[in-house]
């Protein structure tokens, strides 16, 4: 619908060159709070990152909001924060250069980024062994384009959340997870800090739409 392709069009699925089941896994850990509790979820993200991130390797942490990204960084221990590069602390190109330089010199490096780091960023091999997604990347509620389209769908008696919001967020989730495997030899883990993937019906659909990695659900 979003592309304007006619309903009677035929499609072909081209197999991926990656062996996802052997290359990595998707991990959904237990958390003390869900994203609808902004403060609680942010605190849970801080605690979880401290426990699951190996600061000696390359890690990419993706956030849906600048507020949460900055709040999480402020809440980290000094030793953890020392290896974190936060989006907009310098230009994107300079930040990626610093990250690659650290990895090449066998130091650990963690990038904290927003949506622009969830697509079009190429960090192969040791540059990114772990992708962490703070929460399902739903569109910003006050986006005028999204609002107009949602109103149009609702006027037809259809469910805008299931027809627009969920598929769009699922696509963004797939794009974000695509930061992990850049070459066929790459391996690693994708961690998603959003329990709605397993507690909500739409979340389970999103989980199924992701590449066929092994799944570890706590």
């Amino acid at each position: 619908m979003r592309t304007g392709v006619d309903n009677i069009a035929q499609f072909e699925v081209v197999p991926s060159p990656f062996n996802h089941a052997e290359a990595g896994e998707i991990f959904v850990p237990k958390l003390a709070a869900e994203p609808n509790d902004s403060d609680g979820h942010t605190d849970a993200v801080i605690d979880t990152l401290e426990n699951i991130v190996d600061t000696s390797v390359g890690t990419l942490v993706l956030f849906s909001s600048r507020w949460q990204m900055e709040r999480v960084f402020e809440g980290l221990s000094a030793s953890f924060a020392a290896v974190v590069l936060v989006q907009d602390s310098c230009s994107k190109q300079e930040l990626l250069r610093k990250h690659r330089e650290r990895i090449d010199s066998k130091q650990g490096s963690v990038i904290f980024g927003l949506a622009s780091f969830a697509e079009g960023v190429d960090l192969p091999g040791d540059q990114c062994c772990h992708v962490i997604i703070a929460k399902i990347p739903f569109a910003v509620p006050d986006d005028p384009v999204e609002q107009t389209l949602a109103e149009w769908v609702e006027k037809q008696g259809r469910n805008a959340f299931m027809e627009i919001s969920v598929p769009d967020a699922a696509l963004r989730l797939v794009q974000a997870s695509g930061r992990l495997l850049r070459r066929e030899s790459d391996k690693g883990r994708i961690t998603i800090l959003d329990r709605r993937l397993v507690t909500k019906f739409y979340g389970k659909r999103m989980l199924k739409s992701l590449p066929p990695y092994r799944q570890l659900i706590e």
Side-chain angles (χ1 to χ4, degrees):
M1 179 192 71
R2 298 297 296 269
T3 60
V5 176
D6 195 285
N7 289 335
I8 63 172
Q10 295 184 342
F11 301 89
E12 181 175 356
V13 177
V14 180
S16 169
F18 299 114
N19 187 336
H20 293 91
E22 290 188 5
E25 67 180 12
I26 292 174
F27 175 45
V28 183
K30 289 183 178 178
L31 291 176
E34 291 201 359
N36 58 351
D37 175 5
S38 298
D39 290 332
H41 182 255
T42 297
D43 291 339
V45 170
I46 294 170
D47 292 339
T48 304
L49 289 180
E50 295 273 7
N51 291 322
I52 68 171
V53 173
D54 180 351
T55 55
S56 67
V57 299
T59 301
L60 175 63
V61 186
L62 298 169
F63 295 89
S64 296
S65 77
R66 183 178 299 278
W67 174 86
Q68 186 175 52
M69 179 179 73
E70 293 175 346
R71 171 79 180 277
V72 168
F73 180 70
E74 291 168 359
L76 296 175
S77 64
S79 58
F80 193 140
V83 300
V84 176
L85 296 166
V86 183
Q87 181 174 345
D88 294 337
S89 59
C90 56
S91 70
K92 183 177 182 179
Q93 293 74 18
E94 178 66 9
L95 187 148
L96 291 172
R97 185 195 65 75
K98 288 181 179 179
H99 176 78
R100 294 182 177 114
E101 190 175 77
R102 287 181 179 182
I103 299 301
D104 289 344
S105 61
K106 305 303 180 183
Q107 302 177 53
S109 184
V110 180
I111 293 175
F112 275 17
L114 299 167
S116 62
F117 276 80
E119 54 184 273
V121 172
D122 191 28
L123 296 170
D126 293 340
Q127 294 177 24
C128 185
C129 300
H130 195 176
V131 173
I132 302 174
I133 301 168
K135 60 183 178 181
I136 297 171
F138 284 109
V140 178
D142 58 359
D143 184 312
V145 175
E146 296 293 328
Q147 281 185 336
T148 302
L149 183 59
E151 290 173 4
W152 177 76
V153 169
E154 294 285 354
K155 285 180 180 178
Q156 299 180 54
R158 293 151 57 191
N159 188 324
F161 179 72
M162 291 303 298
E163 289 193 37
I164 300 173
S165 299
V166 169
D168 282 2
L171 178 58
R172 294 189 187 97
L173 202 58
V174 170
Q175 289 174 328
S177 69
R179 298 314 96 207
L180 182 66
L181 302 186
R182 308 307 299 166
R183 301 182 302 204
E184 292 182 42
S185 59
D186 289 351
K187 296 182 182 296
R189 167 183 273 192
I190 297 167
T191 299
I192 306 175
L193 305 177
D194 193 331
R195 295 293 297 177
R196 290 177 295 181
L197 284 174
V198 293
T199 61
K200 304 293 186 182
F201 171 70
Y202 64 79
K204 294 176 182 178
R205 288 179 55 182
M206 289 182 177
L207 200 55
K208 289 181 179 179
S209 74
L210 291 170
Y213 291 102
R214 302 186 307 275
Q215 293 188 3
L216 175 60
I217 313 294
E218 285 190 340

